[in-house]
């Protein structure tokens, strides 16, 4: 397959008010295909006029949308899910072009995950209710209202999924959204906006505006925006959170991590190795919840490393559009340089590379899946988020030590435990400071389950019933049946 015959690329840079629009005054942003380094499209950054138009149209669509019943809103979202599933291959190919992730992944993890979210929240829409509180005569009712216009700001690793994980609960609750994808991966989200219109959403309900951080900042500070939901790094999260505080906006912050996987001596070694591979090398390691600190108990350590290295050799590195490929390039030259920089630091600080460690000599932004052993807690590679295919193995002796070391980080997104001792599994998980935990599994994030972090990894939750709390607010109404008793 060549790039030329890939499904239609979006028609213009932005999708606002139900249609593609362009503003040639915006700065050009080249879209680079990570597997070759070719420029496959150019989009324009949104000018203030585009942002303004998006916010205006979102506000008027929101008023109409909130007036529909939950069942009606749900039907639109479920229809969009069906359209996405029917176009899974085209959307997956576009996701691969945008991100460089192998088609073997995008066919099962991106558009399909977006469809799951639209279906799930579409189904919930008609079930959203408030509560009635009897007071023995007088009574109170509390209704769940939408927030208004929400801003979504996305990272580049899962453009379709991130947009849908934000849009689905927001729209189900009766909000509208203006979404700014990452400047690195601007294409996929436009297709989602187009599909929502085909499914019957009112024009302006879900808008996409392109741009760098300044466009995100314009959304985060605009008084017309009631809520900001960001998926990105901790430093960006800190900026967006404080910008949102100016108007006391609601926020959801899905940020970075340096998550631990604890592998005990009694673990099923193949499952644990499989978890470490899934938690470090899927999407070339560019996943926020990755378990990049793999703590392995001393008795299993050497055998674990041996099997991990053996199985990592099985990665099929190649053209992401070839379905046989299981490991693709990183998203950009800049990200590749950053990750290779961490590999150099790891070497310099005394960790040992037992697999990979090098850029691959081919066009595009490829590097080998990389495994470090002999990593200690103080090393930079054990402390900072690398966001690439770099796994650190750290040896430990006992449970308390492992828990303390796993928690010794400012992050708290995810954590995993591999053991056959279920009492230990639950005991350890109860002590780990992480929002999303796994026992004898890793990085599975079904839409039914709340997802998010603690500590610096974020606030709020996506997915599950929990997301509804973050896209709606309660209005409490006290109803007096009289007489009104006043002091004078
Ligand atoms: P980033 O923080 O550089 O950018 C994220 C988004 O924020 C982009 O759209 C960017 O343009 C925008 N942005 C930048 N500065 C801004 C500002 N001042 N105001 C408003 N918006 C601004 O992150 P990235 O490099 O695109 O993505 C990688 C990061 O995202 C990693 O740290 C990763 O862990 C995190 N991530 C988290 C999750 C999660 O669910 N927790 C999921 C995926 C990625």
């Amino acid at each position: 397959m060549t790039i030329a015959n890939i499904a239609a690329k979006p028609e213009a840079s932005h999708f606002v008010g139900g249609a593609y629009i362009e503003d040639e005054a915006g700065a050009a942003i080249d879209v680079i295909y990570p597997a070759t380094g070719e420029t496959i499209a150019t989009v324009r950054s949104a000018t203030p006029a585009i942002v303004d138009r998006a916010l205006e149209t979102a506000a008027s669509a929101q008023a109409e949308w909130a007036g529909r019943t939950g069942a009606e809103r749900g039907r639109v979202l479920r229809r969009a899910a069906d359209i996405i599933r029917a176009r899974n291959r085209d959307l997956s190919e576009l996701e691969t072009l945008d991100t460089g992730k192998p088609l073997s992944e995008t066919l099962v993890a991106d558009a399909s995950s977006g469809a799951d979210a639209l279906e799930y929240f579409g189904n919930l829409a008609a079930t959203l209710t408030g509560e009635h509180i009897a007071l023995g005569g007088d009574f109170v009712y509390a209704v769940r209202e939408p927030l208004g216009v929400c801003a979504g700001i996305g990272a580049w690793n899962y453009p379709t999924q991130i947009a849908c994980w934000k849009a689905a609960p927001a729209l189900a609750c009766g909000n509208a959204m203006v979404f700014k994808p990452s400047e690195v991966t601007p294409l996929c989200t436009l297709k989602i906006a187009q599909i929502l219109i085909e499914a019957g959403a009112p024009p302006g309900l879900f808008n996409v505006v392109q741009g760098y951080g300044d466009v995100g900042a314009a959304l985060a500070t605009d008084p017309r925006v009631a809520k900001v939901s960001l998926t990105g790094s901790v430093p960006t999260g800190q900026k967006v959170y404080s910008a949102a505080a100016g108007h006391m906006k609601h926020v959801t912050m899905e940020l970075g991590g340096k998550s631990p996987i604890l592998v005990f001596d009694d673990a099923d070694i193949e499952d644990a190795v499989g978890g470490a591979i899934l938690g470090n090398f899927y999407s070339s390691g560019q996943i926020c919840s990755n378990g990049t600190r793999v703590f392995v108990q001393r008795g299993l350590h050497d055998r674990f490393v041996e099997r991990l290295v053996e199985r990592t050799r099985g990665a099929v590195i190649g053209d992401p559009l070839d379905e046989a490929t299981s490991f693709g390039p990183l998203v950009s030259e800049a990200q590749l340089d950053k990750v290779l920089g961490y590999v150099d630091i790891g070497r310099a600080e005394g960790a040992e590379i037992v697999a990979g460690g090098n850029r691959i000599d081919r066009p595009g932004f490829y590097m080998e899946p990389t495994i470090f052993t002999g990593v200690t807690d103080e090393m930079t590679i054990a402390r900072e988020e690398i966001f690439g295919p770099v796994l650190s193995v750290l040896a430990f002796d006992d449970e308390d030590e492992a828990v303390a070391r796993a928690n010794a980080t400012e992050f708290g997104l995810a954590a995993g435990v591999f053991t056959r001792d279920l009492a230990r599994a639950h005991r350890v998980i109860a002590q780990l400071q992480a929002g999303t935990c796994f026992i004898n599994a890793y990085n599975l994030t079904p839409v039914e389950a709340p997802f998010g972090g603690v500590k610096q990894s974020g606030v709020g939750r996506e997915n599950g019933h929990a997301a509804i709390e973050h896209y709606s607010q309660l209005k409490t109404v006290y109803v007096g049946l009289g007489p009104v008793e006043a002091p004078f």
Side-chain angles (χ1 to χ4, degrees), residues 304-350:
F304 178 89
V305 169
E306 196 182 312
R307 274 304 284 151
L308 181 63
V309 171
E310 267 169 24
R311 284 181 57 177
T312 299
R313 282 199 203 104
V316 181
I317 303 174
D319 175 2
L321 290 168
D322 178 346
E323 281 183 51
T325 296
S326 60
F327 188 89
L330 300 200
V331 75
S332 65
E333 183 93 53
Q335 189 64 14
L336 178 65
D337 288 346
K338 183 181 151 199
V339 176
L340 289 172
Y342 274 110
V343 172
D344 289 342
I345 292 172
R347 270 199 201 98
E349 292 185 359

Side-chain angles (χ1 to χ4, degrees), residues 153-157 162 180-183 211-217 220 230-234 236-237 239-240 253-257 287-288 335 385 387 413 451 457 462:
I153 304 175
W156 43 254
N157 58 340
I162 290 170
K180 189 201 84 65
S182 165
E183 59 275 20
Y212 295 95
D214 60 326
V215 176
L230 169 79
T231 298
S233 60
V234 171
T236 304
K239 283 185 214 154
V240 175
M253 294 284 147
E254 291 290 355
L255 308 177
I287 298 183
C288 51
Q335 189 64 14
E385 183 182 48
F387 221 59
L413 187 52
F451 178 85
S457 291
E462 295 194 310

